[in-house]
Structures are given as C-alpha cells and as structure tokens.
Amino acid sequence: MSWIDKLVRQSPIEPMQKHMHVAVLCAREILPLIDAMAAADDDAIRERRSEIDRLEHEADAIKHEIRSHLPRRLMMAIDRRTILEILDYQDSIADTTQDIAELVDQRKMYLPKELKTSILPLAQRVVAACEQGQRVINELDELIETGFGESEVARVDEMILELGRLESETDDLQDKAARTLFSMESELGIATIFWHQIISWIANLADLSERVGNRLRLLIAT
C-alpha cells in the first residue's frame, strides 16, 4: 500500500496539501523560465519545460489517487464536492504552467528586454499569490482539528483576504504588461498574439489560487 493510500483512507486533507505544494512548485518554475526566455537559451528553456512536465505529472498522479480513493460519503467537515472543486483549481495551476512552458518551447519565444521589465514583476506577484494559496490550504487540517473554531476561522479569513489583495495586484500588473506588449505590436507582428496568451496564462495562475481561497471561504462561512 502506498503512502498516499494510507493517508487517503484516513483523510484526503494531507494529500490535498501535498498536491497544492507540487502545483506551486510548478508555478515557481515560471521565474527561471522567464530568465531562460530573456537569455534566448534553448537548452535552459527545454530544461525548465522538462521540470514543469515532471511536476505536472506528479500533481496528476496525486490527483488521481485522491479521486480514486475518495469515499462517496465522508464522515468529516468537508464534503466530497468541495474537496473535488478545490482539487480541480489546484490542478489547473500545474496544467496552466505546463501550457505556458509548452508554447514557449514549441515557438521558441525569446523575451525582449522591454517586455521582460513588465512580465517579470507580474510573474513574481503571481508566484506570491500561489504561495499564499498554499498557506491557506495548509490551514485545512487546523480548521478541522479546531472544529472550525472562531479564532482559526478568523485567521484563515485574513489569509484569504491577503490572497485577494495579491490577486488584485496581479490584475494591475497584467494590464501594464499588456500595454507594454501592444506598444511593441508593430515590432513583434504576429508574435503579439502569442505573447498576449502567455501574459494571460501567467496572470491566470493567481486567479486560480484565489479561487482555491474563495472556495474555502464559502466553506467556513456556512
């Protein structure tokens, strides 16, 4: 019996936390990927894509184990549907990161210096939002152990508010990056379309993390 089988037989919470940890590791790979793009380093881009693929596959394996062993009825404070919804949002973080790396590698997208000054701050705040989402999920076991006690609920609610603040910052940075991109449209030509997709996907990672927090907020509000 694998370690995850043993955990899921007791509770899916720790495997879910492990899944979020791997998804966030995936998102963090965006930063060295941007450096590789800026350096026009094909080998480094392929290395980062390979690592992102590995992490995404690991996240998938954990996801499938959780789904396969999740009982139809759980004798716990979180229902099956909520667990699966949160799991899907977490998994989309890894999936979207993989989409970014695939497009960058397949199209050999080298990052112009002018565009890096806008995309890098966006990616840094996005990663911060993902890490905050992980902190929120790491509180799930504490919430359950305290029976959704008032002080723990208040603490988690503050963490979710911070997650929302980070996501709002990424909205502003996404707008700045898009404006920089479109100011270079005549220079970049058709590549503008692909860069806009990359910017949107990077920003979406923060949105997915916020959805994880918001779904948990609905749970603790009921």
Side-chain angles (χ1 to χ4, degrees), residues 14 22 31 55-56 67 97 103 108 113 119 135 149 168 173 183 187 202 206:
E14 191 168 344
V22 175
L31 298 178
L55 290 166
E56 192 276 337
R67 286 178 173 174
T97 307
L103 180 55
K108 295 187 181 296
K113 182 178 179 180
I119 289 182
R135 293 185 192 101
S168 293
L173 291 167
S183 72
E187 173 188 344
I202 291 173

